[in-house]
Amino acid sequence: DRFTSSSLLVLVNRLVAILFALVIIMVYPQPPHRAPALQYSFASATNVLSSFCQYEALIYVSFPMQTVTKACKVIPTMIMGTLVQGKQFTVHDYIGAILISIGVATF
């Protein structure tokens, strides 16, 4: 009833992402460039590790709680965008985010 292999889930997720990226590269050719592998390897490794940890943690949380939490994360994201990056959101944006969060929580 529950998916128990987080490692397989992360692997399949990354393989699908690679296939999608290859299709996009074939459809929209890119200019040749060489990324510094050592510098990007740290970001890549932490991304894969965080995905594994995320999927492992979600095993212990019910699906309705996951859905409500994901729907409500837009509010702290907007707040941090304002505080850290100086982005400006209108009152309308905040009201919309709050209403979406309330709607998902009550559904």
Side-chain angles (χ1 to χ4, degrees):
D1 176 44
R2 289 187 174 193
F3 194 85
T4 58
S5 178
S6 296
S7 301
L8 180 61
L9 192 56
V10 171
L11 176 66
V12 170
N13 178 291
R14 295 305 185 253
L15 290 175
V16 169
I18 289 169
L19 290 174
F20 183 74
L22 289 173
V23 168
I24 295 298
I25 289 171
M26 294 172 111
V27 172
Y28 302 103
Q30 301 293 313
H33 62 281
R34 181 159 169 80
L38 183 61
Q39 291 177 345
Y40 286 102
S41 65
F42 297 117
S44 177
T46 57
N47 182 276
V48 171
L49 183 61
S50 69
S51 294
F52 174 77
C53 293
Q54 171 191 350
Y55 292 134
E56 279 297 308
L58 287 177
I59 290 172
Y60 303 102
V61 180
S62 69
F63 181 74
M65 182 57 108
Q66 290 177 29
T67 305
V68 170
T69 305
K70 286 181 183 181
C72 294
K73 76 179 180 180
V74 70
I75 296 169
T77 302
M78 290 173 72
I79 292 169
M80 291 305 291
T82 301
L83 295 175
V84 175
Q85 296 179 333
K87 289 187 177 181
Q88 297 294 318
F89 296 100
T90 65
V91 173
H92 185 266
D93 292 332
Y94 281 108
I95 291 172
I98 291 168
L99 289 176
I100 289 171
S101 299
I102 291 170
V104 170
T106 57
F107 179 68

